[in-house]
């Protein structure tokens, strides 16, 4: 699982490199694909990035032509971030080799096996969400950063 996860990250980074954006920018695009049109605040909430960092992400993705800002029709103060479908399709093309490889793999499984794998993936996602929440709680309550312990000086004799 760790190897597959790491390979997925590497594949995504390659896609990001070809698309001319950072890996975290591409991750935000993926969130937009899953969530649909959202506010910058919601994007920050879902990704765990600060609103300042999200503004930078949105600026870069907009400059690259992947997203656009859209004003709410009823409240002009509210701005949504939406994917530009044509640009998303270009990125999607880069995932075709992975999709084909996975479809070839899945074709060797029965419907019951695929259902088991789907349930495993769903439960794994929920477990990952839970673990992320626990980790955030630990980080929020820690008073020190994760770093190598400082060496103690020699005791005086």
């Amino acid at each position: 699982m760790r190897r597959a996860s790491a390979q997925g990250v590497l594949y995504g980074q390659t896609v990001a490199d070809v698309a001319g954006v950072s890996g975290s920018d591409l991750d935000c695009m993926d969130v937009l694909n899953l969530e649909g049109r959202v506010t910058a605040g919601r994007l920050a909430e879902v990704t765990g990035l600060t609103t300042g960092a999200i503004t930078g992400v949105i600026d870069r993705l907009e400059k690259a032509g992947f997203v656009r800002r859209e004003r709410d029709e009823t409240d002009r103060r509210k701005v949504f971030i939406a994917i530009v479908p044509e640009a998303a399709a270009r990125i999607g093309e880069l995932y075709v080799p992975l999709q084909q490889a996975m479809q070839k793999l899945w074709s060797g499984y029965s419907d019951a096996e695929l259902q088991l794998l789907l349930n495993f993936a769903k439960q794994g996602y929920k477990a990952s969400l839970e673990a992320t929440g626990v980790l955030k709680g630990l980080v929020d309550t820690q008073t020190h950063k994760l770093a190598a312990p400082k060496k103690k000086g020699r005791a005086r004799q």
Side-chain angles (χ1 to χ4, degrees):
M1 291 296 296
R2 286 178 50 204
R3 288 181 195 273
S5 177
Q7 188 56 47
V9 169
L10 294 172
Y11 193 98
Q13 185 58 57
T14 301
V15 170
D17 291 345
V18 171
V21 297
S22 74
S24 61
D25 291 354
L26 188 66
D27 291 341
C28 288
M29 287 249 336
D30 198 27
V31 169
L32 288 168
N33 272 318
L34 294 169
E35 295 266 323
R37 191 175 89 138
V38 297
T39 64
R42 174 67 180 154
L43 193 55
E45 178 186 330
V46 172
T47 61
L49 296 172
T50 65
T51 54
I54 285 296
T55 299
V57 168
I58 295 166
D59 288 346
R60 289 188 299 275
L61 289 174
E62 187 175 45
K63 183 177 180 183
F66 294 121
V67 301
R68 64 177 162 253
R69 289 173 166 95
E70 297 177 347
R71 296 231 176 251
D72 187 293
E73 293 178 12
T74 58
D75 182 353
R76 301 293 293 162
R77 296 170 295 174
K78 194 176 215 177
V79 177
F80 289 96
I81 311 309
I83 286 193
V84 175
E86 303 80 25
R90 288 194 311 272
I91 290 177
E93 290 172 12
L94 298 172
Y95 284 96
V96 169
L98 181 59
Q99 290 168 334
Q100 289 172 338
M102 295 308 292
Q103 287 171 341
K104 181 179 177 184
L105 172 66
W106 297 332
S107 70
Y109 290 98
S110 70
D111 287 347
E113 290 170 324
L114 288 171
Q115 189 60 49
L116 176 69
L117 292 172
L118 181 59
N119 288 337
F120 177 80
K122 286 179 180 178
Q123 295 305 315
Y125 171 72
K126 289 177 183 177
S128 182
L129 280 177
E130 184 179 319
T132 301
V134 170
L135 178 61
K136 286 181 178 179
L138 290 172
V139 170
D140 289 345
T141 59
Q142 283 185 352
T143 57
H144 61 282
K145 294 181 180 181
L146 295 175
K150 294 181 181 178
K151 293 184 181 180
K152 294 183 181 180
R154 283 184 151 176
R156 290 187 180 171
Q157 298 178 351

